[in-house]
Amino acid sequence: MPGYPASTAFDGAVFDTADWQAREALHQDRADALSLERRERAAGGRTHPVDDFLFTYYPFRPGLLRRWHPGSGARLRGAAGAERAGWKWYRTEGDDVLVDDAAFRDRNARSIRFIVTLLDKTAARPANFSCFGLHEWAMVYRQDEHRHVAPLRLGQGDTDDVVDAHNISCSHFDAFRFFTPAALTHNALQPTRENQPRLEQPGCLHAGMDVYKWVIKLGPLIPGELLLDSFELARDIRRLDMQASPYDLSEWGYAPVAIETPAGKAEYVRRQRDLAERSNALRARAVTAVGSLPPEVPRV
């Protein structure tokens, strides 16, 4: 492909027909189980303040989770008659179907480089385990109208007092941009889209959730198992994120992680450390799956 070195080789796995069909079926079953409750709610016109987030904030429909990719450079024996033979970023050779790495990498070179660099640098930074999820509190600080329908478990006044009593150190722009105007100056950092690659760190729950976003953007370079592992991590992070929030989610079966107390802080950090380890493991798998980076693309 033009713009991509002809000498670069993509040595993907070779799957015989029975193998890739079994892997695809298992992937689809797992994806269907992960999205079942969301699909049932959508069909009934119902919403969920915690679990719908991964399908609303991230613009990826449940059907995209079902799409199993074998990974970079893989060859699927006997797949030329299958539906995937017509998918974008695949090509046929005789009876086989191959992931068209060269085409995908050439078309998405700048994006691939940004994503892999961000994942790699994020994983290499020290994790911050003293933020205590206060970004969610800063999103309702001194504001009577809130983004979620659930009530504040401490009420507005006491919620504001929690923010006033803590130092906030949110490093994630897509959380910081939802801070109320009064909360902006409470944050020790001022994250922007431009400084995102320099600030993101593995202790950040939102950066961990975003691993799902990044691997799905890497499309056919990422094996399906890694995609669903990333989705499961994002789901688990979202639940802690909301349990540690100022909202009362008891109606939906979520007990609070009361980060305004020493015991709540300790629980939050314990779970945060586990999620940070999981997120870094997935970052490493994604970087490995992509392999060599496309060359720098000059900006026009």
Side-chain angles (χ1 to χ4, degrees), residues 37 109 111 140 143 167 200 262:
E37 292 182 358
S111 177
V140 300
Q143 186 162 291
N167 295 318
E200 291 206 359

Side-chain angles (χ1 to χ4, degrees), residues 107-248:
R107 177 65 179 82
N108 300 284
R110 184 174 289 125
S111 177
I112 294 169
R113 179 172 291 279
F114 171 82
I115 292 170
V116 170
T117 301
L118 179 65
L119 293 174
D120 207 24
K121 288 186 175 181
T122 300
R125 290 194 184 95
N128 176 14
F129 296 118
S130 61
C131 66
F132 306 123
L134 283 161
H135 56 276
E136 288 289 341
W137 297 69
M139 293 178 192
V140 300
Y141 180 66
R142 295 187 181 177
Q143 186 162 291
D144 294 330
E145 294 185 3
H146 307 136
R147 296 169 58 228
H148 297 290
V149 297
L152 299 180
R153 59 183 178 82
L154 301 181
Q156 187 67 57
D158 287 344
T159 297
D160 294 344
D161 289 345
V162 171
V163 176
D164 288 332
H166 289 80
N167 295 318
I168 305 177
S169 56
C170 179
S171 58
H172 196 271
F173 171 69
D174 284 315
F176 180 67
R177 66 191 177 98
F178 289 109
F179 279 29
T180 67
L184 293 175
T185 57
H186 281 262
N187 199 34
L189 303 171
Q190 296 295 304
T192 65
R193 188 66 72 202
E194 289 70 29
N195 65 22
Q196 180 181 16
R198 292 190 289 107
L199 290 185
E200 291 206 359
Q201 45 83 23
C204 172
L205 296 192
H206 278 259
M209 279 192 287
D210 279 351
V211 173
Y212 164 60
K213 174 180 71 175
W214 299 128
V215 300
I216 209 167
K217 285 179 177 291
L218 291 170
L221 304 184
I222 298 297
E225 296 80 4
L226 175 53
L227 169 62
L228 296 188
D229 287 349
S230 299
F231 180 87
E232 286 188 334
L233 172 68
R235 177 201 61 192
D236 294 346
I237 291 176
R238 171 63 177 173
R239 291 174 178 174
L240 174 60
D241 197 32
M242 292 305 288
Q243 283 182 281
S245 78
Y247 295 105
D248 181 356

Side-chain angles (χ1 to χ4, degrees), residues 262-299:
K265 284 182 171 66
E267 180 183 354
Y268 183 88
V269 171
R270 176 184 60 79
R271 292 170 62 178
Q272 184 186 24
R273 288 182 180 277
D274 175 68
L275 294 168
E277 289 181 8
R278 289 172 60 189
S279 69
N280 269 351
L282 293 177
R283 290 183 181 99
R285 287 170 60 189
V287 170
T288 299
V290 173
S292 60
L293 288 176
E296 291 279 6
V297 179
R299 292 189 178 275

